[in-house]
Amino acid sequence: MNSEPVGLSDLAVFAPQSRLSIATLAAKRIQENPDLQKHLDRALATTGQQAMRFPQLWEDTITLGAEALRTLLSRKSETQRLGLRYLTMGTETSVDMSKAGSSYLQGLMAKTDFPLPANLASFQVQQACAGGSLAALTLSGSLKAFGHFGDSAVVVTSDIARYTAPSTAEVTQGAGATALWLETSPQLLEFDLDSVGLFSKDVDDFFRPLGSTTAKVRGGFSLACYHEAFLEAFADHCRRAGVSPQQELASIDAFCLHVPYAQMPVGALEKLFTIHTSYSADQIREHLTQCGFFESLVPAAQIGNLYTGSLWLSLAWSLHERSQVWGSRLAGKKYLLASYGSGNTMAVWTAKVAARAKAV
């Protein structure tokens, strides 16, 4: 067992250039069917979404992921790339029901200036929006348990969120990819793997039938499932950490959660604080503001739902924003991370900002 910390050293994000204002989309749908106005007005007010990115005809889950991966690899030396032992992909909009998306990515990278070694494990993880996070936790554990010096892992998350048109769910569409570089002695975040909190349950809150290009979602039920899973996984995390929920919340400097749409994680965190603290509603909002939580939701409101990448998009923005606020005090700050996958599963864990994070 490696005694060194393990976690995230680098993170790249890619979003397709094509952008559509949610207000423009809503206006078009209302023009086509005026009966939709009250429903779409409510959807815009409750989701907090302002725009979405969408792929061109020549873009798909693989090409989006390849863009994020190429950006990540461009920042690595040849020696670092040769130390890569795992290449994984988290997605719920795969292009192949058998072959892993990571295999396609490896092939595409061979056509660039950043070819990957053949001596690595390549596979895909699927559990709705949690696939990428589950891959990151699993590979971090593998590196810590039996990794050699210089070993590393890459997790690519890539998804295209599409819903039936016309519908209120359209306002939460989006597309994009992230690429994570994981290793021991990480430069960005050190994961606490000993206290990862988990919760899973068989529910039909969100699913995409085989052969369908659009997902089916039961909005209100999915929101309730998200809240339940978050509360239960957080409680499991606290038990494994040996601390009370009150103690743990008091120790957290920043929060990043799965963001299907900008307002969804807000209710979950507010509920958590209401249950485990004596804060009033105004005090909770003020505390979350001071932690930079609402700032972490900004990219999701502009880009849309990245499914497996939504947590990591939020984290990338938060680290950038918090580095400006905290400056030299960035190192040692404690994040609470939460990843939700419909169907469902939730993982909650903490991570400490590494000493070299400011330089990344």
Side-chain angles (χ1 to χ4, degrees):
M1 178 71 73
N2 196 320
S3 61
E4 295 297 316
V6 65
L8 182 68
S9 270
D10 202 355
L11 173 58
V13 176
F14 177 79
Q17 291 186 350
S18 302
R19 180 184 183 274
L20 177 63
S21 162
I22 299 301
T24 299
L25 172 65
K28 176 64 174 177
R29 295 296 184 235
I30 292 168
Q31 181 184 39
E32 295 169 341
N33 183 358
D35 291 340
L36 289 174
Q37 179 157 4
K38 65 178 181 179
H39 302 291
L40 287 171
D41 286 348
R42 182 178 182 277
L44 266 64
T46 56
T47 62
Q49 293 303 107
Q50 299 174 27
M52 69 177 183
R53 299 293 182 93
F54 61 93
Q56 292 287 351
L57 293 176
W58 58 85
E59 293 179 309
D60 62 14
T61 304
I62 301 302
T63 64
L64 297 180
E67 292 286 0
L69 179 56
R70 184 173 62 173
T71 299
L72 181 72
L73 294 176
S74 71
R75 303 198 286 249
K76 305 302 169 190
S77 67
E78 182 179 5
T79 299
Q80 288 175 305
R81 294 196 301 273
L82 290 175
L84 189 63
R85 295 292 291 174
Y86 304 93
L87 175 64
T88 63
M89 185 171 184
T91 183
E92 60 175 288
T93 52
S94 180
V95 300
D96 195 309
M97 292 304 298
S98 179
K99 184 176 177 179
S102 55
S103 295
Y104 289 103
L105 293 176
Q106 187 175 11
L108 287 176
M109 290 305 104
K111 304 178 188 299
T112 71
D113 293 331
F114 314 111
L116 299 176
N119 297 120
L120 53 72
S122 172
F123 58 94
Q124 184 169 299
V125 178
Q126 178 183 326
Q127 176 46 54
C129 299
S133 300
L134 295 175
L137 289 171
T138 299
L139 295 185
S140 294
S142 295
L143 290 172
K144 191 169 184 65
F146 43 81
H148 290 192
F149 177 79
D151 285 356
S152 58
V154 164
V155 175
V156 175
T157 74
S158 184
D159 276 301
I160 300 169
R162 289 193 181 100
Y163 297 99
T164 302
S167 71
T168 55
E170 283 187 281
V171 306
T172 62
Q173 296 177 126
T178 70
L180 289 58
W181 188 276
L182 306 167
E183 62 186 353
T184 55
S185 301
Q187 297 186 51
L188 273 180
L189 287 180
E190 299 173 359
F191 293 166
D192 182 357
L193 299 179
D194 292 334
S195 63
V196 176
L198 302 171
F199 178 80
S200 296
K201 191 176 183 180
D202 181 14
V203 294
D204 290 325
D205 61 327
F206 178 105
F207 50 92
R208 186 165 66 91
L210 187 63
S212 175
T213 58
T214 58
K216 314 299 179 184
V217 59
R218 300 166 62 189
F221 181 53
S222 187
L223 179 62
C225 290
Y226 182 110
H227 286 188
E228 178 193 29
F230 180 52
L231 294 174
E232 293 290 344
F234 177 77
D236 185 49
H237 158 69
C238 292
R239 286 190 295 269
R240 296 182 71 84
V243 297
S244 69
Q246 295 85 352
Q247 289 173 318
E248 186 66 337
L249 287 175
S251 72
I252 302 298
D253 298 299
F255 300 84
C256 281
L257 279 64
H258 170 54
V259 193
Y261 54 84
Q263 288 300 315
M264 190 164 181
V266 175
L269 259 186
E270 289 179 339
K271 191 169 187 177
L272 185 71
F273 272 87
T274 299
I275 293 172
H276 295 300
T277 73
S278 59
Y279 289 176
S280 67
D282 288 343
Q283 288 174 321
I284 293 172
R285 301 280 301 191
E286 176 60 24
H287 180 71
L288 295 180
T289 299
Q290 292 298 318
C291 291
F293 175 64
F294 297 108
E295 283 292 326
S296 74
L297 308 177
V298 169
Q302 294 294 333
I303 296 175
N305 192 353
L306 265 61
Y307 283 166
T308 53
S310 69
L311 167 64
W312 304 103
L313 173 66
S314 177
L315 177 62
W317 183 266
S318 176
L319 285 168
H320 172 72
E321 187 269 338
R322 289 288 91 186
S323 69
Q324 295 178 322
V325 173
W326 288 330
S328 60
R329 298 179 291 115
L330 178 66
K333 295 294 186 180
K334 184 177 178 180
Y335 270 81
L336 182 78
L337 306 177
S339 184
Y340 177 71
S342 294
N344 70 359
T345 196
M346 173 74 81
V348 172
W349 73 103
T350 56
K352 184 176 71 173
V353 179
R356 294 172 289 173
K358 184 69 176 174
V360 176

